[in-house]
Amino acid sequence: MTQSQPSVKTSLIEITKKLAKEPPCRIFLKCEYEQPSGSFKLRGMGHLIGTSLEEASKSGKKIEVFSSSGGNAGLAAAYASKHYGFPCTVVLPVSSKPVVIEKLEGLGAKVVVHGKHWGEADGYLRDDVIKHLDDSIYPVYCHPFEHPLLWDGHGKFIDEIVEEKQLTPEELSKVKGVVCSVGGGGLYNGVVNGLERNEELKDVPVLAIETHQTPTFKVAVEAGKVVHLNEINTLSTSLGSPYVSEKSLSNYKSHKTSLEVIDDLDAVKGMIDFYDLTGNLTEPACGASLSVAFDKIQLLKDFGELEKDDIVIIVACGGSGVSASTLEDYRKLVNERDAKEKI
């Protein structure tokens, strides 16, 4: 496509001195919540859709974009489709928040709600929607995490840190790790891609965070193969994939990666702590990685002995499934848990 990409450049900010618990190193956030769709997903989805439309335009058919999502991939698909001027249909699971549906409809997307989790929504999209389309329609199907173009697009925020000189050459040499949340693995794959194509960062390890309620990566690593979970029940709905990408398992074996599993409410607390510090709403899925800056600083041990001038970058991936009232509901859950733990 000749148009510009729908994603934008995002900030890299240091929060070291703002943290209540003193970290062993400098902590930076890559602020992907600044993307117009609300999350990092727009980088990969914009790249996937833009590239796919080039091929689709040769068909002479009516082009429509289709995506399944826990929320944020759908919002990215809808935003990118609107940017390029094509209709978009998004299938969401019943666990999706009303605020996400409102935002999708506000972007002009057709919304279908089906299935208990993303996996069922995706199956319905492929088997019951796309397969029965009129032959005059060219469907551009956008998987939310399983496509090389997605990973290539997501990794551009790593390129940006280098190319936009968001860190000096000396600071780049001090980067000891990148922290990201893991659901289906698209973000993790993008981080590895971005690191490995930048000489200054190619050997930087990754700390991947998921929750006990959706341990797809941990289960796959332990089994040595991708495993499909039978059931998902999580507050971190954007991490609610029944399986992790095959490429994630491959990256885990080839790129130095640590995997930590925390509780849903720890992820929720990370989201709340971030809101209290910055006033920015994200999702529990984002809170999983952010928790490493606030309440789970001990997980930084996975990067070895850190010096005060060393740097760890946390991907503040964003998410649009939380409103101010939802956040207060989450706060009550965390407060209730903390009160019980003190007894």
Side-chain angles (χ1 to χ4, degrees), residues 27-283:
I27 303 292
F28 284 78
L29 302 182
K30 186 56 172 157
C31 305
E32 288 299 291
Y33 57 85
E34 295 174 351
Q35 292 295 343
S37 74
S39 81
F40 78 96
K41 293 279 190 179
L42 188 57
R43 288 199 188 257
M45 196 63 77
H47 185 51
L48 170 61
I49 290 175
T51 304
S52 299
L53 290 175
E54 291 180 5
E55 184 64 29
S57 63
K58 301 173 185 176
S59 69
K61 297 182 178 183
K62 179 185 176 184
I63 299 170
E64 292 189 22
V65 177
F66 296 86
S67 181
S68 59
S69 172
N72 294 304
L75 285 165
Y79 187 93
S81 298
K82 184 176 181 180
H83 175 85
Y84 290 119
F86 292 92
C88 177
T89 296
V90 179
V91 180
L92 300 172
V94 295
S95 58
S96 301
K97 305 292 191 301
V99 64
V100 172
I101 296 174
E102 285 179 24
K103 289 181 178 181
L104 282 167
E105 291 175 342
L107 289 168
K110 178 183 177 182
V111 179
V112 179
V113 179
H114 183 91
K116 291 183 291 186
H117 54 69
W118 165 78
E120 291 185 359
D122 186 63
Y124 179 77
L125 173 63
R126 289 182 287 105
D127 298 335
D128 293 86
V129 177
I130 293 177
K131 280 187 179 179
H132 296 93
L133 289 174
D134 186 277
D135 191 51
S136 64
I137 296 173
Y138 188 108
V140 174
Y141 166 65
C142 302
H143 195 288
F145 61 83
E146 191 75 275
H147 200 292
L149 288 173
L150 284 173
W151 311 329
D152 183 52
H154 294 335
K156 291 182 185 298
F157 66 75
I158 300 290
D159 302 335
E160 196 171 275
I161 292 171
V162 177
E163 294 168 2
E164 298 297 318
K165 297 180 171 54
Q166 293 184 327
L167 293 175
T168 67
E170 183 180 0
E171 287 174 326
L172 284 173
S173 71
K174 294 288 187 179
V175 176
K176 301 301 181 182
V178 176
V179 182
C180 70
S181 302
V182 177
L187 175 58
Y188 167 69
N189 293 342
V191 169
V192 173
N193 271 18
L195 291 173
E196 293 187 346
R197 66 185 179 224
N198 284 279
E199 183 64 26
E200 305 92 330
L201 301 172
K202 64 182 178 67
D203 295 321
V204 170
V206 179
L207 170 56
I209 309 289
E210 63 181 355
T211 70
H212 290 296
Q213 288 77 6
T214 56
T216 51
F217 204 179
K218 181 175 184 289
V219 170
V221 168
E222 290 176 346
K225 62 181 181 179
V226 173
V227 177
H228 288 247
L229 301 182
N230 293 324
E231 188 173 338
I232 295 172
N233 184 18
T234 176
L235 295 171
S236 305
T237 53
S238 293
L239 300 183
S241 170
Y243 66 94
V244 75
S245 165
E246 182 76 46
K247 181 64 173 177
S248 296
L249 195 56
S250 172
N251 281 333
Y252 181 84
K253 295 173 181 176
S254 64
H255 190 95
K256 188 174 181 181
T257 301
S258 300
L259 174 60
E260 296 285 356
V261 183
I262 64 175
D263 189 76
D264 259 2
L265 287 178
D266 292 323
V268 168
K269 189 174 188 305
M271 174 199 74
I272 293 169
D273 288 339
F274 180 65
Y275 174 81
D276 290 344
L277 179 69
T278 68
N280 290 302
L281 283 171
T282 58
E283 288 188 2

